[in-house]
Amino acid sequence: MGELNDSYVKVAKLKGEFVWHHHPDEDELFLVIKGHLTVKLRDREINLDEGEFAIVPRGTEHLPVAPDEVHVVLIEPKSTCNTGNITDSRTIANLQRL
Amino acid sequence: MGELNDSYVKVAKLKGEFVWHHHPDEDELFLVIKGHLTVKLRDREINLDEGEFAIVPRGTEHLPVAPDEVHVVLIEPKSTCNTGNITDSRTIANLQRL
């Protein structure tokens, strides 16, 4: 939905458990617009309510989990793949522009 | 308060009228945490309530205005000066790290 310097500002609806992954060279910001998001890390978890955000630093393994549908804004470099170092059926190769 | 790739994530309290300025090479994101912010552009204005954000593209003259104190998050390149192409008493040379 927008560009911010070398990053895209993306909107996404998430539901369920994603896949453990990391982005070797890219930090990633999650901002919750509606609902609740848990970002599991290997040693702890971050719980985000509406209006809250967190930055997952590069190289940090994480697993986004949303028991109920959550609307999020993601800010990450244009080069970032949603599934990071993993390629599976959820990997999005072509983003849709709003 | 944080780093996101080549950008800083900053928090600021604003009150009153800032100064018309632009950033020639840097896009800037304003996210309102508490209160209300108006970002005046030369041809229109953007009104942001809590939880809303806007991106001011590089080169776009803008004037943040907050009749009452507003708490904002700013995401902008590490190189960005708060007063852009203007230097005045509100120019912040040394950021404080939380």
Side-chain angles (χ1 to χ4, degrees):
Chain A
M1 59 175 290
E3 293 182 45
L4 183 68
N5 304 299
D6 294 332
S7 292
Y8 282 133
V9 178
K10 304 173 181 176
V11 283
K13 294 179 184 175
L14 311 178
K15 187 173 181 183
E17 192 160 294
F18 204 57
V19 57
W20 278 104
H21 68 283
H22 70 278
H23 310 277
D25 301 309
E26 296 147 337
D27 308 322
E28 189 171 28
L29 185 149
F30 293 83
L31 167 66
V32 172
I33 300 300
K34 184 178 176 186
H36 178 87
L37 179 69
T38 298
V39 182
K40 290 190 179 180
L41 307 178
R42 289 298 186 185
D43 60 347
R44 63 191 177 97
E45 61 183 43
I46 302 168
N47 286 288
L48 299 176
D49 284 320
E50 282 181 25
E52 295 183 331
F53 69 86
I55 297 168
V56 177
R58 60 193 65 194
T60 303
E61 282 193 294
H62 56 284
L63 175 66
V65 182
D68 300 306
E69 184 176 271
V70 60
H71 298 188
V72 298
V73 165
L74 301 165
I75 304 178
E76 52 196 17
K78 292 175 182 176
S79 55
T80 299
C81 171
N82 65 318
T83 52
N85 61 314
I86 306 292
T87 301
D88 74 3
S89 60
R90 288 165 292 195
T91 300
I92 298 173
N94 296 302
L95 296 167
Q96 186 179 352
R97 184 177 287 267
L98 297 184
Chain B
M1 59 173 290
E3 293 183 44
L4 183 68
N5 302 298
D6 294 332
S7 291
Y8 282 133
V9 178
K10 304 174 182 176
V11 282
K13 294 179 183 175
L14 311 177
K15 187 172 180 185
E17 192 161 294
F18 204 57
V19 55
W20 278 104
H21 69 282
H22 70 279
H23 310 278
D25 300 311
E26 296 146 337
D27 307 324
E28 188 171 28
L29 186 148
F30 293 83
L31 167 65
V32 172
I33 301 299
K34 185 177 176 186
H36 178 87
L37 178 69
T38 298
V39 181
K40 290 190 178 179
L41 307 178
R42 288 298 187 187
D43 60 347
R44 63 191 177 97
E45 62 183 41
I46 302 168
N47 286 288
L48 299 176
D49 285 319
E50 283 181 24
E52 295 184 330
F53 68 86
I55 297 167
V56 176
R58 61 194 64 194
T60 303
E61 281 193 294
H62 57 286
L63 175 67
V65 181
D68 301 305
E69 184 176 270
V70 61
H71 298 189
V72 298
V73 166
L74 301 166
I75 304 179
E76 52 197 17
K78 292 175 182 176
S79 55
T80 299
C81 171
N82 65 319
T83 50
N85 61 313
I86 304 294
T87 301
D88 73 3
S89 60
R90 286 165 293 196
T91 300
I92 297 174
N94 296 303
L95 295 166
Q96 186 179 355
R97 183 176 288 266
L98 296 185

